[in-house]
């Protein structure tokens, strides 16, 4: 079992496609981790699984203009993340993310997550305090034609530091949909 299966640091213009990636039974495991100005990378049609606590399916920690398309991500550990975003101007579309651990998030946004485009993603979270979108920080991101289902928590949770995020044609399927102190331009 590996704690990080694919790690890119300072890498530009790479293609990661059609892989089966597993970080199993390890805490802080990363299916795919991009760091230190990793720009313009293509992450396409991969199957990614993590099963330890605080696992990350894909972690975009530094860089811009990365394309994450057509991936299937499954996490089962507590406090895990399907896709953690701390980058800007990326395109994230047609991904399917499922989390089953407590306090596990589908998309998790931190400082630096700005001006990303999200389209046609499907996120399902199925445990206590598990949310489809969690904004710890992140500004001016656009979400279109998305589908979110959190069975025991809000689909979307935004903190005050997150502003200017736009949601258009987003389907929220759970009982408690949005909890926020700041959100703008919502069209559901």
């Amino acid at each position: 079992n590996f704690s990080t299966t694919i790690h890119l640091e300072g890498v530009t213009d790479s293609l990661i496609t059609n892989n089966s990636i597993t970080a199993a039974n390890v805490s802080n495991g990363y299916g795919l981790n991009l760091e230190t100005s990793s720009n313009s990378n293509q992450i396409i049609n991969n199957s990614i699984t993590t099963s330890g606590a605080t696992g990350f399916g894909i972690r975009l920690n530094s860089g811009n203009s990365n394309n994450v398309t057509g991936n299937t991500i499954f996490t089962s550990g507590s406090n895990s993340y399907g896709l953690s975003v701390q980058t800007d101007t990326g395109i994230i579309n047609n991904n399917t993310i499922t989390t089953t651990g407590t306090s596990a998030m589908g998309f998790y946004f931190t400082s630096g997550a700005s001006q990303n485009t999200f389209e046609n993603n499907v996120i399902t979270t199925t445990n206590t305090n598990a949310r489809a979108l969690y904004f710890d920080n992140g500004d001016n991101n656009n979400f279109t034609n998305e589908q979110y289902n959190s069975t025991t928590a809000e689909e979307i949770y935004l903190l005050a530091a997150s502003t200017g995020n736009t949601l258009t044609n987003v389907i929220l399927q759970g009982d408690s949909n949005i909890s926020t102190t700041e959100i703008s331009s919502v069209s559901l």
Side-chain angles (χ1 to χ4, degrees):
N1 296 328
F2 298 97
S3 60
T4 303
T5 54
I6 297 177
H7 179 89
L8 303 180
E9 191 164 336
V11 175
T12 300
D13 295 323
S14 69
L15 174 63
I16 300 167
T17 187
N18 297 319
N19 297 288
S20 179
I21 301 167
T22 302
N25 302 316
V26 293
S27 293
N28 301 310
Y30 299 93
L32 181 58
N33 188 29
L34 275 69
E35 290 191 3
T36 316
S37 299
S38 293
N39 303 315
S40 303
N41 296 291
Q42 308 290 315
I43 303 166
I44 301 172
N45 295 331
N46 298 286
S47 175
I48 301 169
T49 302
T50 69
S51 61
T54 321
F56 294 79
I58 297 175
R59 181 176 178 234
L60 303 176
N61 191 47
S62 177
N64 61 51
S65 302
N66 292 296
N67 179 352
V68 179
T69 299
N71 299 284
T72 300
I73 301 169
F74 177 81
T75 69
S76 62
S78 61
N79 301 303
S80 293
Y81 309 94
L83 176 62
S84 175
V85 181
Q86 192 176 351
T87 59
D88 60 15
T89 63
I91 297 173
I92 294 92
N93 61 26
N94 297 308
N95 298 288
T96 301
I97 298 173
T98 304
T99 70
T100 62
T102 57
S103 301
M105 309 303 162
F107 287 151
Y108 177 73
F109 300 89
T110 60
S111 180
S114 65
Q115 300 177 348
N116 294 290
T117 301
F118 296 82
E119 292 183 301
N120 302 311
N121 297 291
V122 176
I123 300 176
T124 303
T125 63
T126 62
N127 211 320
T128 307
N129 294 321
R131 296 173 172 97
L133 271 71
Y134 187 97
F135 285 86
D136 189 18
N137 202 326
D139 303 314
N140 304 311
N141 295 287
N142 294 302
F143 301 83
T144 306
N145 300 325
E146 301 275 288
Q147 182 177 331
Y148 307 138
N149 185 8
S150 296
T151 60
T152 63
E154 307 90 351
E155 275 83 14
I156 302 171
Y157 186 85
L158 292 99
L159 297 176
S162 299
T163 60
N165 295 294
T166 303
L167 289 79
T168 306
N169 297 323
V170 174
I171 298 172
L172 305 176
Q173 295 180 312
D175 294 331
S176 176
N177 301 126
I178 299 174
S179 179
T180 183
T181 56
E182 177 67 36
I183 192 168
S184 67
S185 302
V186 177
S187 177
L188 303 174

